[in-house]
Amino acid sequence: MRLFNIKNFYIYFGHRLHRRLYSSKNAPSPEYLTKLRECYRLEEDNNIVVPVFKKALLYGNNIAIRDHAGEYSYFQLYSNSKRLSRQIANLCGSGSSSTVAFFYSNDVLSTLTLWACWMCGQVAMPLRLDFSCSGLINLLKSSKTRLLVAPEKYGNLSRKLAYQLDVPTLCLDHMFIKKHNLPFNYSREIFMNANLVILEGTLTNDFYTTFDALLLNTLGKVNKLKTAVLSHKNLSVQIKSAANAWQISAEDRVFQIFTSDHINGYINATLFPLEAGGTVQMHEPFDANNCWSTILGINTPQKDRVNILITEPKVYHILITEYEKIFLKNSRMVEFIKNYCLRNFRLMISSFSPLPQHIANRWFEITGHNIIESLYITESGITLRYNPQHDQANTQKQNQVTLAFNNTLSDVKVRIVDNTNRIMYDSQDLKVHTRHLLDSPTIVGSLLVGGAGVFRNYLNSERPSNDKESYFNTGDIVCYEDGLFKLLGRCKSESFNTLTTMNDIEEFYSRLNLHPSINFDKLENRGVVYAIKPNQRMSLKSLKLFYAIILKEYYRAIVFHLNTNK
């Protein structure tokens, strides 16, 4: 076994890290940054990928990340990622596209590892902590992992896996991000002409336009683990689309809270603010009381207070529970919290799983903010989002909580197909769904996603021959009505011969009520009886089509009847 550990240097000031790397006097002139920004723009206009770590040089002394141990500037993040990339390149070879696996931690170390891997031309693969040791070994073998990187707190597990697989491991902690005494030398680090930028110690532009960047593990159908392969181009499109969708700028301070089982979402939610020079506030370990302190800016200077919150539904639920435990009985605090959130927050976003209506309603009562839902898919990034401007013209809807999506992100193409793969909605062809809307005001089917941000293929599977025309079936069932996409659930492929357990029966009955235009009446021996909601049109053919999709595993045993007398 080959075992490596990076020697660290650390400077203490009391109990805090020395956090700033460079002073503002070493910053380049505004003219230089304008030229650098213009060069990046020209490269992207010519379909050249500019990785997010290169853009860090535009924001220098701005704070990039805050976590439980301190705060880190863009220069500091870039410089130390470059230091780590040299260690990785020594072990894997520069530009070898070797798989480098690392253990996720919701702090600066994961971003440091990602950037380091990309700087020296490797493919990063974050690991979930809820996988068993044998599961991790199988995953590392199938991905042909050449190196393991882990925070020191996961060092024992990392060394155990490295020993069994005979691969080197690097263990990091926050002391690795040390103070540099030398100022950042732009003329030494950057070569720039009229339309080309080359950074010392990184690879050529052609590499990032062509090769893979990331392996993301996701549970597919019947809980089978799949590994999606994302290229630098896929990732760049996803990051820019998200940054544009939320209109992120260098003035934004994004507070993101995720649990360890959402590492794919963590990566997406961390990188898109860094694309635009924003600050990411990370929170680990999770503590609801501390989260409320951060949300309310307690003991935080005005300029450093967060103005965007992005997390998942279960975290919103925990925050609501903590609020009711601590603040609810204090009417002055209740009023203060709502006024503070309305005055200081620009966006509150939920992603990565469906948001229950009661959580959205309660959060609106507490903060006055409509939680904006976004649909994150591992293989394509953030795909759909809700834009509040959709309802601004209708004053009756301004105080209404809406759990739906009303537009796609830029560079994202969406289709809805029926169970025969017939296209019923196409975001690129309005004639398709206009024709179907004449038949029924509601389109229900499987959601397909296409575009430059969609992943290339699954690991160890054949890559599609024509990436431009391929669409990925997300497995989600959506309803399109009145310009809104509503997520109805997942379409499972497992076969159920009979309804033998209570869980099956509950699942069956819950699916019967998913259609927006009907009410479930009763289940008879001869079939299912429904009542159509007032002012709704529904044909037997369209009803059968809907349940052919949503009830695939039960469909053969069901005969549908319309009860039109109610």
Side-chain angles (χ1 to χ4, degrees):
M1 180 187 70
R2 295 164 291 170
L3 186 64
F4 297 83
N5 190 54
I6 293 178
K7 300 297 182 183
N8 301 309
F9 298 90
Y10 189 51
I11 297 177
Y12 280 98
F13 284 85
H15 68 288
R16 302 285 291 177
L17 290 174
H18 183 80
R19 300 169 298 186
R20 295 296 184 122
L21 183 57
Y22 304 102
S23 63
S24 59
K25 66 181 180 181
N26 296 313
S29 67
E31 293 78 13
Y32 188 94
L33 290 180
T34 299
K35 183 180 178 182
L36 181 60
R37 186 176 285 106
E38 179 64 14
C39 284
Y40 285 156
R41 187 191 65 79
L42 289 172
E43 287 183 355
E44 291 179 330
D45 288 347
N46 291 319
N47 293 320
I48 296 172
V49 172
V50 180
V52 63
F53 65 81
K54 287 189 176 184
K55 295 183 180 179
L57 299 179
L58 294 171
Y59 308 108
N61 289 304
N62 292 4
I63 297 300
I65 291 175
R66 288 190 180 91
D67 65 10
H68 65 278
E71 60 184 29
Y72 315 92
S73 71
Y74 278 89
F75 274 147
Q76 197 168 359
L77 191 56
Y78 178 88
S79 182
N80 285 284
S81 296
K82 190 174 175 182
R83 287 176 57 220
L84 180 58
S85 74
R86 295 193 188 103
Q87 300 285 341
I88 295 174
N90 288 339
L91 298 172
C92 300
S94 180
S96 64
S97 289
S98 301
T99 301
V100 176
F102 68 96
F103 283 96
Y104 156 87
S105 57
N106 195 22
D107 55 31
V108 70
L109 295 179
S110 289
T111 306
L112 187 82
T113 304
L114 275 173
W115 285 19
C117 288
W118 296 337
M119 283 180 175
C120 64
Q122 316 306 332
V123 181
M125 182 175 71
L127 299 175
R128 289 173 55 155
L129 296 174
D130 55 350
F131 287 175
S132 64
C133 189
S134 60
L136 286 171
I137 290 174
N138 292 335
L139 178 60
L140 296 172
K141 284 182 178 179
S142 65
S143 62
K144 300 178 182 177
T145 297
R146 290 275 303 275
L147 173 67
L148 270 170
V149 180
E152 188 57 50
K153 60 183 176 181
Y154 305 130
N156 290 337
L157 176 58
S158 177
R159 286 184 278 269
K160 179 181 178 181
L161 293 171
Y163 180 82
Q164 296 192 44
L165 295 169
D166 191 28
V167 296
T169 182
L170 294 174
C171 293
L172 300 174
D173 59 26
H174 282 76
M175 292 186 290
F176 178 74
I177 307 180
K178 65 179 184 179
K179 177 180 182 291
H180 283 227
N181 293 319
L182 296 176
F184 189 88
N185 189 328
Y186 269 80
S187 60
R188 187 187 67 190
E189 296 282 345
I190 302 175
F191 169 79
M192 181 168 48
N193 64 15
N195 56 4
L196 179 68
V197 178
I198 297 176
L199 304 186
E200 191 276 329
T202 65
L203 301 173
T204 63
N205 292 330
D206 288 343
F207 181 90
Y208 297 111
T209 305
T210 307
F211 286 89
D212 295 329
L214 197 60
L215 302 180
L216 293 179
N217 301 301
T218 180
L219 293 176
K221 295 175 179 178
V222 292
N223 290 329
K224 183 179 180 181
L225 185 68
K226 291 184 176 182
T227 302
V229 182
L230 276 74
S231 67
H232 284 281
K233 186 173 184 179
N234 296 148
L235 200 59
S236 177
V237 170
Q238 290 184 17
I239 291 170
K240 286 193 292 184
S241 294
N244 291 336
W246 307 125
Q247 299 178 345
I248 300 297
S249 73
E251 304 302 316
D252 285 315
R253 296 158 307 280
V254 181
F255 185 28
Q256 55 105 318
I257 316 168
F258 296 113
T259 55
S260 58
D261 58 339
H262 273 310
I263 56 175
N264 300 346
Y266 151 77
I267 290 170
N268 194 290
T270 301
L271 293 181
F272 77 76
L274 300 180
E275 165 81 11
T279 299
V280 179
Q281 175 83 46
M282 297 179 172
H283 190 88
E284 189 177 273
F286 177 73
D287 180 86
N289 192 282
N290 290 339
C291 283
W292 271 113
S293 295
T294 302
I295 290 171
L296 299 177
I298 296 174
N299 296 327
T300 305
Q302 181 67 40
K303 65 181 181 64
D304 295 334
R305 293 179 183 178
V306 295
N307 68 334
I308 296 176
L309 173 64
I310 177 168
T311 185
E312 53 191 306
K314 68 179 180 181
V315 172
Y316 277 112
H317 174 70
I318 295 171
L319 291 176
I320 290 171
T321 303
E322 185 73 8
Y323 169 91
E324 292 176 343
K325 175 182 174 184
I326 298 176
F327 303 121
L328 190 59
K329 295 180 180 179
N330 188 332
S331 59
R332 294 182 63 182
M333 279 302 298
V334 168
E335 183 180 0
F336 167 78
I337 290 172
K338 188 168 187 175
N339 290 336
Y340 180 89
C341 291
L342 284 172
R343 188 172 62 252
N344 291 279
F345 274 85
R346 186 165 70 81
L347 293 171
M348 292 184 172
I349 303 167
S350 175
S351 198
F352 314 116
S353 59
L355 178 67
Q357 185 74 52
H358 71 278
I359 291 178
N361 291 337
R362 184 66 182 117
W363 191 259
F364 181 79
E365 293 170 359
I366 292 171
T367 65
H369 272 271
N370 225 332
I371 297 177
I372 300 177
E373 260 204 297
S374 62
L375 176 61
Y376 173 83
I377 300 169
T378 296
E379 292 83 353
S380 61
I382 297 175
T383 302
L384 297 172
R385 71 183 181 99
Y386 179 72
N387 182 0
Q389 294 178 353
H390 173 87
D391 288 333
Q392 281 184 358
N394 187 344
T395 56
Q396 293 180 349
K397 292 185 177 181
Q398 286 185 4
N399 293 324
Q400 177 181 333
V401 176
T402 305
L403 298 184
F405 314 101
N406 59 10
N407 61 355
T408 61
L409 271 68
S410 59
D411 299 310
V412 174
K413 297 185 289 186
V414 166
R415 284 178 178 172
I416 300 175
V417 300
D418 62 15
N419 61 323
T420 63
N421 288 325
R422 182 169 60 107
I423 300 172
M424 298 189 294
Y425 172 90
D426 191 326
S427 61
Q428 304 297 303
D429 187 355
L430 297 179
K431 294 180 181 178
V432 173
H433 62 271
T434 300
R435 189 164 59 246
H436 286 280
L437 288 173
L438 294 175
D439 225 11
S440 169
T442 303
I443 293 176
V444 178
S446 298
L447 179 67
L448 273 60
V449 180
V454 177
F455 78 128
R456 291 187 168 202
N457 60 292
Y458 289 113
L459 188 66
N460 301 325
S461 67
E462 188 176 347
R463 184 166 293 178
S465 58
N466 189 350
D467 290 342
K468 290 184 179 179
E469 297 300 323
S470 61
Y471 275 75
F472 168 66
N473 190 332
T474 66
D476 291 301
I477 305 300
V478 295
C479 163
Y480 181 77
E481 185 178 32
D482 295 332
L484 293 174
F485 298 89
K486 297 177 183 177
L487 198 62
L488 300 181
R490 300 283 296 170
C491 183
K492 299 180 182 179
S493 65
E494 306 96 298
S495 297
F496 289 85
N497 295 325
T498 56
L499 303 177
T500 55
T501 68
M502 180 58 67
N503 288 337
D504 289 335
I505 295 171
E506 289 177 353
E507 172 73 6
F508 175 67
Y509 275 89
S510 66
R511 293 197 193 186
L512 291 178
N513 277 313
L514 284 176
H515 199 287
S517 298
I518 60 176
N519 285 325
F520 170 65
D521 191 348
K522 57 185 174 180
L523 186 64
E524 298 180 346
N525 291 334
R526 59 195 179 99
V528 182
V529 180
Y530 291 92
I532 302 177
K533 293 180 180 179
N535 303 320
Q536 296 287 336
R537 293 181 298 165
M538 179 57 56
S539 67
L540 180 60
K541 180 180 177 181
S542 60
L543 184 61
K544 284 187 175 182
L545 181 64
F546 169 74
Y547 284 104
I549 298 169
I550 204 70
L551 288 174
K552 272 188 176 180
E553 60 267 42
Y554 308 110
Y555 182 64
R556 291 182 181 178
I558 300 297
V559 179
F560 293 98
H561 296 271
L562 285 174
N563 183 355
T564 58
N565 297 323
K566 293 192 176 185

